[in-house]
Amino acid sequence: MTPLLSVQGLSKNYGAHIGCADVSFDLFPGEVMGIVGESGSGKSTLLNCMAGHLVPDAGQVVFDTRADGPQDTVTMSEPARRMLSRTDWAFVHQHARDGLRMGVSAGGNVGERLMAVGARHYGDIRGKATDWLERVEIDVDRVDDRPTTFSGGMQQRLQIARNLVTGPRLVFMDEPTGGLDVSVQARLLDLLRGLVRDMGLSAIIVTHDLAVVRLLADRLMVMKSGHVVEAGLTDQVLDDPQHPYSQLLVSSVLQV
Amino acid sequence: MIELNDVSKTFTLHNQGSAVIEVFNDVSFRVAAGECVALTGASGAGKSTLMRMIYGNYLAQTGEICIGGVDLVQAAPREVIQLRRDVLGYVSQFLRVVPRVSTLDVVAEPLRMVGVAADQAEIRARALLAQLNIPERLWSLSPTTFSGGEQQRVNIARGFAHNYPAMLLDEPTASLDAANREVVLSLIEDAKARGAAIIGIFHDEAARARVCDREIDVTRFVPGVAA
C-alpha cells in the first residue's frame, strides 16, 4: 500500500535553536496519528512544516496526490500547494479565530471553501453549508449569524465544518480541543471520532492532552527537544512507555 | 492459532532509579483453534501482563507472539489495529467508552468496524444485550452511569458481538450473579464450538474447570521463581 503521507528527514531550526530534527514516518490512508510532547518540544513546528505553513531546512513531505501520485510538497510550486491545501488537505487551528473569517456569516465560512474549489450555484452552496452545520451540531437558525456571536465550542465546530466540507483526505489538527471546557471537549471529540471514521480520513493531531490521543489516535509519536523519542501503537505507548521521557509524561497525568 | 516463542518481558522504570523488573523469560506455548486455556498463578504473578502482551498492549523485549500469522512483537501499528479489528478480541475487566455513545452502539461498534450493515449489527447487539439481561430501557443510554455488573455485561456483549477467531478474556465472570455467569459461560462454550482459540483468566475455579481444556501457571515463566 502507498502511504498517503511520507515524511523523510524533516528538520527545521530557528537560528541555533532546534525546532524539529530529522523526523521520518509514513502515514497510511485512514490512519490517525497523535503527536504529544511538552510545550516547546517541536510538535507545532513539525505540523506547520508538514502543512506547508513553514519551510523546512531539510527533508521531504511526500503526499500521494489524486492526479499525479506521490509528490514532494516542499518543492512543489506555490499554486499547486495552495490548491492542495484547499482540496485534499485541511488544517484545524487551536484558536478557531485563526481558521475562520470572523466578519462573514457561519454559512459564508463554510461556503467560501466550496467556492474556492469552483462551486458557484448559490442554492447548492447554501444547502451544503446548512447540511454541514447540522453535522457539527450547530442550530441551522444560526447560518446567517457571524461566528463572533458564537461560543468557543461552536466556533471550533464551525471551523471543523469549514475544513471538512470539501472532503479532504488529510486533516492537520493543532490542539483542536485546547482552551475548551471539559464538557465541550467531550462533545467535540465524539464528533471528530465519528467524522474521521465515517469519512475514512487520515489525520495528524498535535496535542498535549493524552486522553485526546487515546480516544482519537491509532498511533502516537512522543517528541522532546525537537526529536521523536518514541513512536508506536497509541495504547502501547501510553500503557507501556519505553523511553524515560514518555514514562515521565504518562506518569505525570493526574488520575481523576 | 495463538503461538508464543521465547518471549521475554522487562519493565525499566527510568524515573525510579532505572529499576529493572524482569517479568518473564522464555515464555513459549500455543493455543489451537477451539481450545480454551486458563492462565493461573497468584495475584501479581503476571497473568494480566501476559494477556496484555498477547493483545499488543505491552511490548515484549524478545521473542515472537504470533496470532493468525501476524507477529505482534514486530508488527506496525496498523497491522496490530487490523488484527484487533478482525481476528483478536479482548474482554477487559473495565469498560472504556466514549461519553454520549449509546449502549446499543457500544455493543454494535465492533461489527460496524468489520463492515457489517448497521441494521444487522443492531439485531446482533439487541440479542446479546437481551441474553445478558440488560433491561431494554437502558439500551439507548450511555453505559458510563451503569452499575459495575451492568458495565461488565455490556463489555462482554461488546466482546462477543463479532465472532473473533482468537479471544482474550480477563475475569469474564467476576462480579456477575449466577444467572449471568451461566450466560457468559455458555457464550464461551459457543465460541469454542465455532473454533475460537481462547485464553482466559478465571478466579472462579468452577468456571475454569467447566470451560478450560488446560491450565498454564505463569509462575513458571517468572525468572528466579521457576519451579
Side-chain angles (χ1 to χ4, degrees):
Chain A
M1 190 166 30
T2 312
L4 184 67
L5 188 76
S6 177
V7 173
Q8 302 298 332
L10 202 66
S11 301
K12 170 80 183 169
N13 294 326
Y14 299 103
H17 183 78
I18 293 172
C20 61
D22 198 21
V23 177
S24 301
F25 67 89
D26 287 337
L27 186 77
F28 290 85
E31 267 190 323
V32 178
M33 187 172 80
I35 304 176
V36 296
E38 61 196 355
S39 299
S41 59
K43 45 193 201 305
S44 292
T45 297
L46 174 62
L47 192 74
N48 283 309
C49 284
M50 290 189 286
H53 298 172
L54 282 175
V55 181
D57 298 331
Q60 292 185 320
V61 179
V62 178
F63 182 74
D64 186 16
T65 61
R66 285 186 223 224
D68 306 311
Q71 300 282 318
D72 183 5
T73 63
V74 174
T75 54
M76 188 181 265
S77 73
E78 184 64 28
R81 191 164 55 235
R82 287 178 67 96
M83 195 59 200
L84 204 56
S85 70
R86 284 203 292 256
T87 54
D88 273 350
W89 287 3
F91 196 101
V92 176
H93 295 263
Q94 175 177 4
H95 302 292
R97 288 168 174 271
D98 298 336
L100 290 173
R101 296 234 278 146
M102 300 305 282
V104 175
S105 71
N109 263 286
V110 180
E112 186 183 41
R113 212 167 125 116
L114 285 170
M115 290 193 284
V117 294
R120 288 296 177 266
H121 186 282
Y122 178 80
D124 288 349
I125 294 170
R126 192 175 171 91
K128 216 163 175 183
T130 49
D131 173 45
W132 265 93
L133 291 184
E134 275 177 17
R135 288 178 73 166
V136 297
E137 302 172 10
I138 293 175
D139 197 338
V140 178
D141 291 348
R142 306 293 302 270
V143 63
D144 295 317
D145 294 347
R146 291 183 186 184
T148 43
T149 66
F150 287 6
S151 70
M154 283 170 74
Q155 288 181 0
Q156 195 58 296
R157 280 179 274 138
L158 180 62
Q159 192 195 183
I160 287 164
R162 173 180 161 98
N163 270 283
L164 299 189
V165 68
T166 49
R169 291 190 292 154
L170 175 62
V171 185
F172 300 100
M173 296 189 209
D174 190 2
E175 301 275 8
T177 59
L180 300 176
D181 79 55
V182 191
S183 62
V184 177
Q185 272 193 24
R187 187 174 181 188
L188 190 70
L189 286 173
D190 183 26
L191 176 80
L192 278 174
R193 193 165 169 273
L195 289 171
V196 163
R197 193 181 49 196
D198 296 344
M199 299 175 73
L201 295 175
S202 300
I204 298 176
I205 303 173
V206 162
T207 181
H208 57 250
D209 188 335
L210 300 184
V212 169
V213 289
R214 192 187 279 276
L215 207 60
L216 289 179
D218 304 316
R219 49 191 280 217
L220 192 58
M221 274 190 348
V222 181
M223 290 188 72
K224 177 170 171 49
S225 310
H227 296 267
V228 175
V229 295
E230 186 166 352
L233 193 69
T234 301
D235 62 285
Q236 187 257 300
V237 174
L238 293 179
D239 293 338
D240 187 17
Q242 307 292 313
H243 188 275
Y245 177 69
S246 321
Q247 292 187 352
L248 184 67
L249 195 70
V250 170
S251 65
S252 301
V253 176
L254 296 173
Q255 299 287 326
V256 181
Chain B
M1 188 67 214
I2 303 173
E3 188 173 344
L4 282 78
N5 290 316
D6 301 322
V7 174
S8 71
K9 169 76 191 157
T10 56
F11 286 116
T12 308
L13 308 177
H14 292 284
N15 300 301
Q16 297 182 47
S18 293
V20 176
I21 301 169
E22 290 191 29
V23 191
F24 294 124
N25 246 334
D26 296 335
V27 184
S28 298
F29 63 86
R30 47 171 60 189
V31 180
E35 196 181 18
C36 179
V37 171
L39 298 180
T40 61
S43 186
K47 301 183 292 292
S48 291
T49 298
L50 184 56
M51 189 168 269
R52 283 168 167 243
M53 287 162 66
I54 300 171
Y55 194 57
N57 180 222
Y58 284 3
L59 196 68
Q61 263 62 40
T62 61
E64 293 180 336
I65 301 175
C66 289
I67 298 170
V70 176
D71 177 9
L72 281 168
V73 180
Q74 303 292 334
R78 65 197 167 91
E79 294 173 303
V80 179
I81 287 166
Q82 193 179 358
L83 187 78
R84 288 177 179 180
R85 189 180 63 212
D86 300 332
V87 177
L88 180 63
Y90 176 46
V91 178
S92 68
Q93 290 187 63
F94 306 101
L95 182 67
R96 182 175 248 152
V97 294
V98 189
R100 299 209 312 157
V101 179
S102 78
T103 298
L104 261 181
D105 289 342
V106 166
V107 176
E109 194 190 13
L111 287 169
R112 301 282 294 127
M113 297 300 282
V114 293
V116 174
D119 51 342
Q120 291 300 315
E122 190 179 318
I123 290 169
R124 171 82 175 145
R126 284 175 172 277
L128 278 163
L129 287 169
Q131 199 180 351
L132 285 155
N133 303 306
I134 303 283
E136 190 165 351
R137 63 192 155 80
L138 299 180
W139 294 358
S140 59
L141 307 176
S142 161
T144 38
T145 55
F146 289 7
S147 76
E150 284 167 344
Q151 291 199 2
Q152 170 74 344
R153 281 178 277 148
V154 171
N155 206 16
I156 288 165
R158 179 181 161 90
F160 281 89
H162 172 52
N163 288 333
Y164 296 101
M167 295 188 76
L168 306 172
L169 310 174
D170 194 349
E171 294 276 13
T173 57
S175 69
L176 295 185
D177 58 37
N180 285 309
R181 174 177 171 276
E182 186 57 36
V183 175
V184 173
L185 291 178
S186 68
L187 282 172
I188 297 172
E189 285 168 343
D190 292 349
K192 279 175 70 180
R194 65 167 168 79
I198 300 173
I199 297 178
I201 298 172
F202 300 88
H203 279 129
D204 175 352
E205 282 181 33
R208 194 196 305 159
R210 179 167 148 193
V211 297
C212 296
D213 302 297
R214 58 194 166 95
E215 298 182 1
I216 293 174
D217 185 349
V218 301
T219 317
R220 66 181 159 107
F221 304 127
V222 181
V225 196

